[in-house]
Amino acid sequence: MMTRVDNSLLILGAALICAPLVMYVVDSLIGLGRYDPLTLSTLLGGTGAGLLALSQRGSWIGFFLSFAAGLLLVALQVYGIAFLVLHVTGL
């Protein structure tokens, strides 16, 4: 049974997994100044994957599967954004 803490971890983890996409949009619109958007978005996305995995309290299999799926989503977003940037700049 999911507790209130598990639900909070699940929601926060799912929101942070979307960090690479959000950071790309924010960097494109207003810029992030001295911050490195790739490092920041990967760090936030990895944290989201960890929180999502921690919300799977019942079993180790659920923990590792959700952690791997979260990291895969973060990696796909980062590589997709890198491909998009390289395609737009013509490199």
Side-chain angles (χ1 to χ4, degrees):
M1 181 165 166
M2 297 281 288
T3 64
R4 196 176 283 185
V5 173
D6 292 337
N7 284 335
S8 299
L9 287 174
L10 181 68
I11 292 169
L12 184 60
L16 284 177
I17 283 179
C18 299
L21 182 62
V22 172
M23 296 301 286
Y24 173 72
V25 170
V26 168
D27 188 42
S28 296
L29 294 177
I30 60 173
L32 292 175
R34 297 180 57 149
Y35 297 109
D36 181 21
L38 180 63
T39 304
L40 191 59
S41 65
T42 306
L43 177 67
L44 288 174
T47 303
L51 290 176
L52 188 66
L54 286 175
S55 73
Q56 306 300 316
R57 220 180 262 234
S59 67
W60 284 104
I61 294 173
F63 174 84
F64 287 117
L65 285 177
S66 62
F67 188 61
L71 288 180
L72 180 67
L73 284 173
V74 171
L76 287 174
Q77 288 180 49
V78 168
Y79 284 118
I81 291 168
F83 176 75
L84 179 68
V85 169
L86 289 175
H87 182 70
V88 168
T89 59
L91 295 175

